[in-house]
Amino acid sequence: MKRRNFSTGTPWENEVGYSRAVRIGPHVIVTGTLAADSDGNMLGGDDAYAQTVAVIRKIEAVLNEAGAALTDVVRTRMYVTNLDDAPAIGRAHREFFGDVRPAATMIEVSRLFTPEALIEIEADAIVAE
């Protein structure tokens, strides 16, 4: 199967050696995604709901670039810095994935790559051939 890597061109991709997303056959794997814009500014401020919306929109963009859509997502992993934000994060997740209902995991972590980040999401998709 052919492998395609997708990049946003951030310095960290080269320094760490990872891709924004990878597609092999019908599988699209999206790396952990924060609510940061291309300049590193956190979208959504200190609002967990707004950050989650920004993250899912970024995931949607790279999925589209890879020939997939949010409806192809079969699993999400959400890393959060405060489980008290779970209702707001869950609301945003449900708004985007309510009918898709992917397998989902939410894990509290002590911190993320950027101190202002409240959530990081990974997504796996399988595109119907």
Side-chain angles (χ1 to χ4, degrees), residues 5-94:
N5 292 347
F6 298 86
S7 173
T8 57
T10 64
W12 285 105
E13 290 173 6
N14 286 331
E15 290 180 32
V16 177
Y18 72 93
S19 296
R20 177 80 181 88
V22 176
R23 180 167 182 168
I24 299 179
H27 301 272
V28 182
I29 311 302
V30 180
T31 192
T33 304
L34 300 174
D37 67 15
S38 59
D39 294 323
N41 301 310
M42 195 57 52
L43 303 170
D46 61 357
D47 182 321
Y49 171 83
Q51 281 196 25
T52 304
V53 168
V55 168
I56 295 172
R57 286 186 177 145
K58 286 177 63 177
I59 289 170
E60 182 176 36
V62 75
L63 285 170
N64 291 338
E65 185 180 348
L70 289 177
T71 55
D72 298 313
V73 172
V74 296
R75 179 171 178 85
T76 58
R77 290 170 203 84
M78 297 171 274
Y79 304 95
V80 302
T81 57
N82 186 348
L83 276 175
D84 291 340
D85 291 332
I89 291 166
R91 180 168 51 97
H93 189 274
R94 184 177 60 252

